[in-house]
């Protein structure tokens, strides 16, 4: 297992108070837990993955996700079993869409 951590600052979108879990940990898939947290406007992402050595790809996918959503005070935990970047993006978007506050 490999653990990767990312943090983004100055987000503008907040989540509702509830937490949400999407996806399932299985071969080629992943689960995403998204929740509100007092992070002084930041967004933290922790990834636990069975696929070692893909840090650069994770960084690109998570960076793109941050540009799309600009989340504030959000903690995201990902448990991955070898999901492709497209599946990662889909699950992340599903998680956010279920809890993001409307502007």
């Amino acid at each position: 297992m490999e653990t990767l951590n990312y943090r983004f600052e100055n987000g503008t979108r907040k989540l509702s108070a509830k937490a949400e879990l999407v996806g399932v940990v299985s071969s080629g898939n992943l689960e995403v837990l998204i929740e509100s947290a007092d992070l002084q406007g930041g967004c933290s992402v922790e990834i636990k993955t069975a696929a070692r050595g893909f840090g650069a790809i994770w960084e690109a996918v998570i960076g793109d996700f941050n540009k799309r959503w600009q989340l504030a005070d959000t903690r995201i935990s990902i448990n991955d079993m070898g999901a492709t970047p497209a599946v990662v993006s889909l699950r992340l978007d599903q998680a956010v869409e279920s809890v993001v506050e409307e502007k």
Side-chain angles (χ1 to χ4, degrees), residues 12-77:
T12 57
R13 298 178 88 174
K14 294 200 175 209
L15 304 182
S16 61
K18 67 177 181 167
E20 187 72 28
L21 180 68
V22 298
V24 62
V25 177
S26 64
S27 180
N29 208 334
L30 75 158
E31 68 181 5
V32 175
L33 173 65
I34 187 167
E35 57 193 329
S36 293
D38 184 7
L39 299 174
Q40 292 77 44
C43 175
S44 70
V45 181
E46 179 182 75
I47 302 157
K48 293 186 179 179
T49 180
R52 299 178 58 83
F54 290 91
I57 293 171
W58 277 105
E59 186 173 356
V61 170
I62 299 302
D64 181 61
F65 166 78
N66 179 64
K67 286 178 188 172
R68 280 195 315 276
W69 290 102
Q70 295 292 305
L71 298 175
D73 292 326
T74 303
R75 179 178 298 120
I76 299 171
S77 303

